[in-house]
Amino acid sequence: MSTISILYFSGSGHTTKLAEAVTKGAAAVGGVQTHLIAINGDDIEKGRYANDEVFAQLDASDAIIFGSPTYMGGPAAQFKAFADASSGRWYHGGWRDKVAAGFTVSSGPSGDKLSTLHYFFTLAMQHGMIWVGFPETMMNDQGINRLSSYSGVMAQAGQESPEVAPNAADKLTGELLGKRVAEIVARYKK
Ligand SMILES: Cc1cc2nc3c(=O)[nH]c(=O)nc-3n(C[C@H](O)[C@H](O)[C@H](O)COP(=O)(O)O)c2cc1C
Protein backbone atom coordinates (compact mmCIF):
# COMPACT_ATOMS: atom_id res chain seq x y z
CA MET A 1 0.00 0.00 0.00
CA SER A 2 1.32 3.45 -0.96
CA THR A 3 0.22 6.70 0.66
CA ILE A 4 0.06 9.83 -1.44
CA SER A 5 -0.79 13.23 0.04
CA ILE A 6 -2.03 16.11 -2.05
CA LEU A 7 -1.20 19.20 -0.01
CA TYR A 8 -2.58 22.47 -1.36
CA PHE A 9 -3.92 25.94 -0.68
CA SER A 10 -6.84 27.53 -2.50
CA GLY A 11 -8.18 31.03 -1.91
CA SER A 12 -11.37 30.85 -3.94
CA GLY A 13 -11.80 27.21 -4.90
CA HIS A 14 -10.12 26.81 -8.30
CA THR A 15 -7.03 25.04 -6.99
CA THR A 16 -9.31 22.84 -4.89
CA LYS A 17 -10.88 21.52 -8.09
CA LEU A 18 -7.48 20.71 -9.56
CA ALA A 19 -6.34 19.12 -6.30
CA GLU A 20 -9.44 16.90 -6.35
CA ALA A 21 -8.63 15.84 -9.91
CA VAL A 22 -5.03 14.99 -8.96
CA THR A 23 -6.35 12.95 -6.03
CA LYS A 24 -8.82 11.12 -8.27
CA GLY A 25 -6.01 10.14 -10.64
CA ALA A 26 -3.79 8.86 -7.82
CA ALA A 27 -6.65 6.98 -6.13
CA ALA A 28 -7.47 5.17 -9.39
CA VAL A 29 -4.17 3.28 -9.17
CA GLY A 30 -4.43 0.03 -7.20
CA GLY A 31 -2.98 -0.15 -3.69
CA VAL A 32 -2.95 3.61 -3.16
CA GLN A 33 -4.33 5.52 -0.20
CA THR A 34 -4.73 9.27 -0.76
CA HIS A 35 -4.94 12.21 1.64
CA LEU A 36 -6.30 15.45 0.23
CA ILE A 37 -5.07 18.11 2.63
CA ALA A 38 -5.96 21.79 2.40
CA ILE A 39 -3.75 24.41 4.04
CA ASN A 40 -6.09 26.35 6.31
CA GLY A 41 -5.19 30.01 6.74
CA ASP A 42 -6.51 29.82 10.31
CA ASP A 43 -3.50 27.61 11.11
CA ILE A 44 -1.22 30.61 10.50
CA GLU A 45 -0.70 32.76 13.57
CA LYS A 46 1.64 35.75 13.54
CA GLY A 47 2.85 34.52 10.13
CA ARG A 48 3.73 31.01 11.36
CA TYR A 49 1.90 27.89 10.15
CA ALA A 50 1.33 25.11 12.68
CA ASN A 51 -0.75 21.93 12.35
CA ASP A 52 0.74 18.77 13.87
CA GLU A 53 -1.93 16.53 12.32
CA VAL A 54 -1.11 17.73 8.80
CA PHE A 55 2.60 17.19 9.34
CA ALA A 56 1.99 13.70 10.79
CA GLN A 57 0.03 12.75 7.65
CA LEU A 58 2.79 14.10 5.42
CA ASP A 59 5.49 12.31 7.43
CA ALA A 60 3.62 9.03 6.84
CA SER A 61 3.31 9.58 3.07
CA ASP A 62 5.39 8.05 0.29
CA ALA A 63 4.71 11.05 -1.94
CA ILE A 64 3.61 14.64 -1.47
CA ILE A 65 2.09 16.54 -4.39
CA PHE A 66 2.20 20.31 -3.76
CA GLY A 67 -0.46 22.68 -5.09
CA SER A 68 -1.12 26.42 -4.90
CA PRO A 69 -2.62 29.13 -7.04
CA THR A 70 -0.06 31.50 -8.52
CA TYR A 71 -0.45 34.78 -6.67
CA MET A 72 1.77 37.69 -7.72
CA GLY A 73 4.10 35.40 -9.63
CA GLY A 74 4.64 32.74 -6.98
CA PRO A 75 2.89 30.42 -4.52
CA ALA A 76 0.28 31.95 -2.22
CA ALA A 77 1.58 33.29 1.11
CA GLN A 78 -0.35 30.56 2.93
CA PHE A 79 1.57 27.88 1.00
CA LYS A 80 4.87 29.62 1.77
CA ALA A 81 3.99 29.74 5.47
CA PHE A 82 3.44 25.97 5.33
CA ALA A 83 6.74 25.50 3.46
CA ASP A 84 8.62 27.55 6.05
CA ALA A 85 7.09 25.42 8.81
CA SER A 86 8.42 22.30 7.04
CA SER A 87 11.96 23.46 7.91
CA GLY A 88 11.86 21.23 11.02
CA ARG A 89 11.60 18.22 8.68
CA TRP A 90 14.44 19.64 6.57
CA TYR A 91 16.64 19.84 9.66
CA HIS A 92 16.27 16.12 10.39
CA GLY A 93 15.98 14.94 6.75
CA GLY A 94 12.51 13.67 7.52
CA TRP A 95 11.18 13.86 3.95
CA ARG A 96 14.34 12.63 2.23
CA ASP A 97 13.59 10.21 -0.66
CA LYS A 98 9.84 10.86 -0.67
CA VAL A 99 8.44 11.44 -4.15
CA ALA A 100 7.27 15.00 -4.98
CA ALA A 101 5.37 16.76 -7.77
CA GLY A 102 3.34 19.94 -8.16
CA PHE A 103 0.49 21.81 -9.78
CA THR A 104 -0.71 25.40 -9.98
CA VAL A 105 -3.64 27.46 -11.24
CA SER A 106 -3.70 31.07 -12.40
CA SER A 107 -5.77 33.34 -14.61
CA GLY A 108 -3.24 34.02 -17.36
CA PRO A 109 -2.15 31.39 -19.88
CA SER A 110 1.31 31.91 -18.42
CA GLY A 111 0.68 34.29 -15.51
CA ASP A 112 4.17 33.33 -14.25
CA LYS A 113 2.92 29.90 -13.16
CA LEU A 114 6.37 28.45 -13.86
CA SER A 115 7.76 30.41 -10.91
CA THR A 116 5.33 28.61 -8.61
CA LEU A 117 6.26 25.18 -9.99
CA HIS A 118 9.94 26.01 -9.70
CA TYR A 119 9.38 27.02 -6.09
CA PHE A 120 7.79 23.61 -5.39
CA PHE A 121 10.78 21.96 -7.10
CA THR A 122 13.24 23.94 -4.97
CA LEU A 123 11.31 23.05 -1.81
CA ALA A 124 11.39 19.38 -2.80
CA MET A 125 15.12 19.52 -3.52
CA GLN A 126 15.82 21.17 -0.15
CA HIS A 127 14.04 18.23 1.46
CA GLY A 128 15.98 15.68 -0.65
CA MET A 129 12.79 14.50 -2.34
CA ILE A 130 12.58 12.95 -5.82
CA TRP A 131 10.83 15.24 -8.31
CA VAL A 132 8.38 13.83 -10.83
CA GLY A 133 7.66 15.99 -13.85
CA PHE A 134 4.87 15.72 -16.38
CA PRO A 135 6.03 14.50 -19.80
CA GLU A 136 2.64 14.33 -21.60
CA THR A 137 2.86 16.47 -24.73
CA MET A 138 0.09 18.81 -25.87
CA MET A 139 -0.21 16.78 -29.10
CA ASN A 140 -3.55 15.15 -28.36
CA ASP A 141 -7.19 16.04 -29.04
CA GLN A 142 -8.30 16.08 -25.38
CA GLY A 143 -6.42 19.22 -24.37
CA ILE A 144 -4.12 17.28 -22.07
CA ASN A 145 -1.25 19.58 -21.05
CA ARG A 146 -2.61 22.28 -23.36
CA LEU A 147 -0.43 24.84 -21.53
CA SER A 148 2.68 22.78 -22.28
CA SER A 149 4.19 22.50 -18.84
CA TYR A 150 6.64 19.68 -18.20
CA SER A 151 7.87 20.67 -14.73
CA GLY A 152 4.43 20.07 -13.25
CA VAL A 153 0.79 20.72 -14.09
CA MET A 154 -0.57 24.15 -14.97
CA ALA A 155 -4.26 25.03 -15.19
CA GLN A 156 -6.09 28.23 -16.04
CA ALA A 157 -8.90 29.86 -14.04
CA GLY A 158 -9.66 33.46 -13.18
CA GLN A 159 -12.94 35.10 -12.24
CA GLU A 160 -15.10 32.20 -13.46
CA SER A 161 -16.83 29.91 -10.99
CA PRO A 162 -14.71 26.94 -9.85
CA GLU A 163 -17.55 24.83 -11.27
CA VAL A 164 -16.41 25.75 -14.81
CA ALA A 165 -12.72 26.59 -14.43
CA PRO A 166 -10.28 24.86 -14.47
CA ASN A 167 -11.88 23.26 -17.51
CA ALA A 168 -12.25 19.53 -18.18
CA ALA A 169 -8.96 19.34 -20.09
CA ASP A 170 -7.00 20.88 -17.23
CA LYS A 171 -8.68 18.59 -14.71
CA LEU A 172 -7.85 15.57 -16.87
CA THR A 173 -4.25 16.82 -16.97
CA GLY A 174 -4.29 16.95 -13.15
CA GLU A 175 -5.70 13.43 -12.99
CA LEU A 176 -2.86 12.17 -15.15
CA LEU A 177 -0.31 13.79 -12.84
CA GLY A 178 -1.86 11.99 -9.86
CA LYS A 179 -1.84 8.70 -11.78
CA ARG A 180 1.78 9.17 -12.85
CA VAL A 181 2.96 9.86 -9.31
CA ALA A 182 1.04 6.85 -7.95
CA GLU A 183 2.49 4.54 -10.61
CA ILE A 184 6.02 5.80 -10.01
CA VAL A 185 5.67 5.35 -6.24
CA ALA A 186 4.48 1.75 -6.81
CA ARG A 187 7.54 1.00 -8.98
CA TYR A 188 9.85 2.74 -6.53
CA LYS A 189 8.53 0.73 -3.58
CA LYS A 190 8.96 -2.64 -5.31
C1 LIG B 1 -3.58 38.06 -4.75
C2 LIG B 1 -3.75 37.47 -6.11
C3 LIG B 1 -2.65 37.44 -6.96
C4 LIG B 1 -2.76 36.87 -8.23
N1 LIG B 1 -1.67 36.82 -9.03
C5 LIG B 1 -1.74 36.22 -10.24
C6 LIG B 1 -0.59 36.07 -11.07
O1 LIG B 1 0.53 36.43 -10.71
N2 LIG B 1 -0.75 35.52 -12.30
C7 LIG B 1 -1.97 35.11 -12.76
O2 LIG B 1 -2.06 34.64 -13.90
N3 LIG B 1 -3.07 35.16 -11.97
C8 LIG B 1 -2.98 35.69 -10.73
N4 LIG B 1 -4.08 35.73 -9.91
C9 LIG B 1 -5.30 35.00 -10.30
C10 LIG B 1 -5.39 33.63 -9.60
O3 LIG B 1 -4.20 32.89 -9.79
C11 LIG B 1 -6.58 32.83 -10.13
O4 LIG B 1 -7.77 33.54 -9.92
C12 LIG B 1 -6.67 31.44 -9.52
O5 LIG B 1 -7.67 30.71 -10.19
C13 LIG B 1 -7.02 31.51 -8.03
O6 LIG B 1 -7.01 30.21 -7.50
P1 LIG B 1 -7.81 29.84 -6.18
O7 LIG B 1 -9.29 30.01 -6.51
O8 LIG B 1 -7.47 28.43 -5.88
O9 LIG B 1 -7.37 30.81 -5.12
C14 LIG B 1 -4.00 36.32 -8.65
C15 LIG B 1 -5.10 36.36 -7.79
C16 LIG B 1 -4.97 36.92 -6.53
C17 LIG B 1 -6.17 36.91 -5.59
Side-chain angles (χ1 to χ4, degrees):
M1 175 66 75
S2 307
T3 303
I4 298 180
S5 289
I6 297 86
L7 183 281
Y8 74 99
F9 172 75
S10 181
S12 49
H14 302 93
T15 310
T16 302
K17 294 294 180 186
L18 190 59
E20 288 169 354
V22 172
T23 305
K24 182 179 170 190
V29 175
V32 171
Q33 178 184 35
T34 55
H35 295 305
L36 179 60
I37 307 170
I39 294 168
N40 184 342
D42 292 342
D43 289 338
I44 301 169
E45 273 185 44
K46 295 188 177 170
R48 298 184 74 85
Y49 176 87
N51 186 317
D52 291 342
E53 195 184 331
V54 165
F55 275 107
Q57 282 186 316
L58 298 176
D59 291 345
S61 300
D62 298 296
I64 306 173
I65 307 179
F66 300 117
S68 171
T70 293
Y71 284 173
M72 301 312 292
Q78 290 87 344
F79 184 91
K80 188 60 168 66
F82 155 79
D84 291 357
S86 76
S87 58
R89 270 63 186 171
W90 168 83
Y91 195 79
H92 298 289
W95 291 356
R96 195 165 291 179
D97 298 340
K98 290 186 191 298
V99 169
F103 59 91
T104 187
V105 181
S106 88
S107 58
S110 163
D112 291 320
K113 285 188 257 275
L114 189 58
S115 298
T116 300
L117 292 179
H118 279 183
Y119 177 70
F120 295 156
F121 169 77
T122 302
L123 175 65
M125 292 302 97
Q126 288 218 352
H127 279 294
M129 299 169 87
I130 299 165
W131 187 258
V132 172
F134 189 72
E136 299 282 342
T137 72
M138 61 181 291
M139 290 176 278
N140 62 84
D141 55 14
Q142 294 167 279
I144 296 163
N145 201 9
R146 67 189 179 89
L147 296 173
S148 285
S149 173
Y150 303 101
S151 307
V153 161
M154 293 181 179
Q156 197 176 1
Q159 299 300 313
E160 313 94 317
S161 158
E163 296 310 316
V164 297
N167 68 16
D170 287 353
K171 285 189 280 197
L172 177 58
T173 305
E175 259 184 73
L176 292 174
L177 176 71
K179 179 172 179 280
R180 174 170 164 74
V181 170
E183 288 172 346
I184 285 175
V185 168
R187 279 165 59 190
Y188 180 47
K189 288 190 77 167
K190 253 186 201 167

